[in-house]
Every structure is written in C-alpha cells, then in structure tokens.
C-alpha cells in the first residue's frame, strides 16, 4: 500500500505559489526525506496531507484514504510533529504522553518510560519549563507513543545537537522496523541521508529530484578549469553540463567517458584544473546554486 500519494498538488497563498504540481508517492515501510531550503514548500506539503490547509489544484491520499474526506480517520493512524510545537505549558511530559494515549484509546502506559529513556526526556518537568530541544523530543514522543502506521515530522532535527539527532534516528529506525512508515522534512541532506530509503528535493514548491539512497548512484564528476580562453561548445558537445562560467573559469559536471574528456581537455591551454567525484549533496547544491531553468528538472513532476 502507498503511505502517501499526491497528484498534481498545487497551492498558492494569494500571489505566492508555494507548491507546484507535486506528484509524490511514498510506499509503506519507507523512511522518506523531503529536503529543501527555507520557504521551499515542505510545511505546506505536510499541512495539506493532514488537511490543515487545502490545495488549489490536485488531490492526495494518506494510507489510501482521501486527505480531505477521511481526515479524521487519517489522524487516528498518523503521528505528526509540527515545525512549531505548542503544548500546554503546565502539563508535564508524562501528562502529555498519557493524554495522547487516552486520545488513541490505549489503556496501557508501559510505552512511556522506555520512550522517555530513549529520547532522554525528564517526564516530570512541565512542558513550559523544558528546553527547546526537549520540547521537540516530547513532541516526537507524543507522535510515536501510539505506534502510528505513518509518522510525519516537519524538520525534527532542528535545534537538536548531533548526538541527539543520532539518538532520534535510532528511535525512528526502531519504530520503522516495527512497521511505522516515516516521512520527514529537513533543510539538510547530510542530517538524514544515512537513514532515509529515499529523498525528494524541493525548491520553490517544485520537486526536482527523487533519489533512491538504497541504490548505488551513477558516478559523475565536477570539473573546474582555469584557462586564458576556452570554447564552451567543445565541452557541451562532450556532454558537460555548465554550472558556473566566467571569463577565465568554467565549472561543469560530466558523467561520460573519461578518455573522451581527457582528449578534449588536452586541446585546451589550461592554467589550473580540479576534478572531483560529486556526492549527492554536490549534485543538489549545484542545482540550488546553479539557477537552473525548469527544463533541467529531472524527475518528480
Ligand atoms: N500562511 C501563509 N500565508 C502566506 N504565505 C505563506 C503561508 N505559509 C507559507 N507561505 C509561503 O509559502 C512558501 C512555502 O512555505 P513553507 O512554509 O511551506 O516552506 P518550508 O519549506 O516549510 O519552509 P520553512 O523551512 O521556512 O518552514 C514560502 O514562500 C512561504 O513564505
């Protein structure tokens, strides 16, 4: 079954186009990351799934249920951690977790202690007296305590130190192994890439790339040349994709035959050259920084 399925999802806030024609499918059992900078549309996407806001165009399903018509049923089966957490400041973590269990009609409270221990939460302290990272951890615990089929987290790593990020992912992996599908948003691929099965990259409301992190990626290089002058056409004919060009410098990516590359380069009068294998992060940064036009989008629309 699909955990999430969106079709042509488009959302505008007056003149701001926050989501553009997003078609995304997440399978049950995945740990899926939605990666994008501030204002990319991540929260908008998540809020539509939970029926907090409505799309202008398109429709979506969560756990095979229509997000608009079956929203109440979806909320019973989903755990959600918003980017901004507002709980009763006078309630302790323990009280909040008990309330969550009661909401889901779960009588046994055995899960509270192990979860608080795993996330290093002092369950006796009032929510309003917790540090910001503890507030985040309590929200995550509340979203997980009823063992939801799908857990949706909006930037859960924000404000957590690297050790706690690692601990959180161990908790999420554990939940995933027990059957919870995880969908999380993040601004930082590095934070999540070791744990996600797939990631989708979003910029200005558009998903421009989806990467399966369980598969070996096709290798490509990033080459930067400094020269008195060069003919870009030679590099373009070779299959190089220009990332940055100035009068005496060109930076391009290349995933073709190395011998052909060397032959072309040998015909230039080069002052300096750097060649490196690109990581997925390089690839995405190139996209963000490169000011690409829509026709360079690869997948996802
Ligand atoms: N209620 C709103 N009214 C007007 N514009 C909005 C509203 N909510 C979001 N936006 C705009 O829609 C775009 C997408 O915002 P969104 O919050 O979905 O992005 P995001 O990727 O979650 O970013 P962040 O990490 O900053 O939360 C942004 O340009 C934002 O300013």
């Amino acid at each position: 079954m699909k955990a999430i399925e969106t079709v042509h999802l488009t959302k505008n806030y007056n003149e701001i186009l926050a989501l553009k024609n997003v078609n995304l499918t997440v399978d049950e059992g995945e740990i899926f990351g939605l990666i994008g900078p501030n204002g990319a549309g991540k929260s908008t996407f998540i809020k539509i799934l939970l029926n907090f806001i409505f799309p202008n165009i398109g429709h979506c399903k969560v756990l095979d249920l229509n997000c608009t018509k079956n929203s109440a049923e979806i909320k019973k089966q989903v755990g959600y951690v918003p980017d901004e957490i507002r709980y009763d400041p006078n309630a302790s973590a323990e009280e909040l977790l008990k309330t969550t269990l009661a909401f889901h009609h779960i009588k046994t409270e055995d899960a509270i202690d192990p979860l608080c221990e795993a996330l290093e939460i002092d369950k006796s302290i009032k929510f309003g007296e917790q540090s910001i990272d503890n507030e985040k951890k309590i929200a995550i615990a509340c979203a997980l305590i009823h063992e939801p089929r799908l857990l949706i987290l909006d930037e859960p790593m924000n404000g957590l130190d690297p050790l706690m990020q690692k601990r959180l992912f161990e908790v999420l992996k554990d939940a995933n192994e027990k059957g919870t599908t995880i969908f999380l948003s993040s601004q930082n691929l590095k934070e999540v890439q070791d744990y996600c099965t797939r990631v989708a990259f979003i910029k200005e409301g558009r998903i421009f790339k989806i990467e399966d992190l369980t598969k070996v990626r096709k290798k490509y290089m990033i080459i930067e040349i400094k020269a008195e002058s060069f003919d870009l056409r030679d590099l373009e004919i070779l299959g190089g994709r220009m990332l940055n060009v100035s009068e005496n410098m060109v930076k391009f990516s290349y995933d073709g035959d190395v011998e052909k590359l060397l032959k072309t380069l040998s015909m230039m009068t080069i002052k300096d050259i750097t060649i490196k294998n690109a990581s997925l992060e390089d690839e995405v940064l190139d996209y963000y920084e490169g000011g690409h036009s829509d026709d360079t989008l690869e997948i996802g629309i």
Side-chain angles (χ1 to χ4, degrees):
M1 190 194 282
K2 306 289 177 212
I4 295 171
E5 200 173 359
T6 74
V7 179
H8 301 314
L9 221 52
T10 299
K11 171 72 185 172
N12 59 284
Y13 301 99
N14 297 320
E15 70 280 5
I16 297 171
L17 197 46
L19 279 187
K20 295 176 198 169
N21 195 27
V22 173
N23 296 310
L24 187 68
T25 300
V26 177
D27 292 321
E28 262 203 304
E30 284 201 82
I31 302 182
F32 193 101
L34 180 64
I35 316 296
N38 265 332
K42 304 180 295 298
S43 299
T44 299
F45 181 79
I46 287 174
K47 284 176 187 164
I48 291 175
L49 296 180
L50 295 165
N51 204 36
F52 296 145
I53 53 174
F54 311 111
N56 296 92
I57 301 172
H59 52 92
C60 48
K61 282 184 182 173
V62 164
L63 300 168
D64 232 11
L65 295 163
N66 182 291
C67 290
T68 319
K69 291 183 192 145
N70 307 112
S71 160
E73 184 52 37
I74 288 172
K75 287 193 178 86
K76 286 183 198 160
Q77 301 192 41
V78 171
Y80 168 55
V81 180
D83 52 349
E84 282 173 27
I85 298 148
R86 290 190 199 98
Y87 286 153
D88 176 0
N90 294 314
S92 68
E94 184 171 22
E95 284 165 340
L96 290 168
L97 287 163
K98 283 184 177 173
T99 308
T100 310
L101 286 172
F103 175 80
H104 290 285
H105 308 290
I106 297 170
K107 291 203 171 65
T108 163
E109 294 171 352
D110 297 351
I112 292 179
D113 283 346
L115 198 49
C116 286
E117 214 167 287
L119 288 168
E120 294 176 8
I121 295 168
D122 184 336
K123 64 181 184 176
S124 63
I125 299 178
K126 284 182 182 171
F127 187 75
E129 291 164 11
Q130 301 272 4
S131 63
I132 291 186
D133 62 334
N134 278 347
E135 285 182 4
K136 193 110 214 176
K137 290 190 285 175
I138 292 166
I140 291 164
C142 285
L144 254 184
I145 190 94
H146 61 106
E147 297 186 357
R149 279 177 68 190
L150 170 65
L151 179 61
I152 298 177
L153 308 109
D154 198 349
E155 303 207 24
M157 304 301 150
N158 253 2
L160 298 185
D161 66 54
L163 262 183
M164 189 39 71
Q165 287 184 5
K166 195 163 180 277
R167 177 70 61 87
L168 170 61
F169 264 116
E170 280 159 13
V171 171
L172 295 182
K173 271 201 102 155
D174 197 38
N176 180 252
E177 274 158 24
K178 289 181 187 149
T180 298
T181 303
I182 315 267
F183 181 89
L184 58 93
S185 73
S186 173
Q187 296 198 20
N188 191 340
L189 172 67
K190 259 195 183 149
E191 277 173 5
V192 303
Q193 67 181 358
D194 292 344
Y195 304 95
C196 289
T197 44
R198 286 194 300 150
V199 284
F201 296 94
I202 186 166
K203 183 188 179 190
E204 291 167 5
R206 189 186 292 267
I207 290 187
F208 65 90
K209 187 173 183 63
I210 298 173
E211 187 81 21
D212 187 338
L213 299 180
T214 62
K215 290 191 180 143
V216 179
R217 296 177 55 245
K218 185 177 177 187
K219 270 194 180 164
Y220 88 109
M221 292 169 273
I222 293 183
I223 300 150
E224 189 172 327
I225 301 169
K226 289 192 179 113
E228 284 299 333
S229 64
F230 32 68
D231 191 343
L232 287 183
R233 276 173 308 174
D234 289 344
L235 297 175
E236 281 166 350
I237 289 165
L238 189 69
R241 197 168 66 90
M242 297 308 133
L243 301 172
N244 199 347
V245 181
S246 65
E247 203 181 332
N248 302 116
M249 188 278 291
V250 60
K251 187 177 172 188
F252 62 100
S253 66
Y254 179 73
D255 62 6
D257 186 84
V258 178
E259 233 172 88
K260 281 188 190 158
L261 171 72
L262 292 177
K263 211 168 169 187
T264 305
L265 294 179
S266 70
M267 290 185 293
M268 298 177 176
T269 313
I270 292 173
K271 274 188 177 172
D272 194 15
I273 183 165
T274 48
I275 301 179
K276 66 170 185 169
N277 282 328
S279 63
L280 178 57
E281 202 186 6
D282 288 323
E283 194 175 335
V284 171
L285 279 176
D286 286 342
Y287 184 86
Y288 284 139
E289 288 164 4
H292 298 260
S293 62
D294 283 357
D295 59 0
T296 61
L297 301 178
E298 290 169 46
I299 337 171
I301 50 163

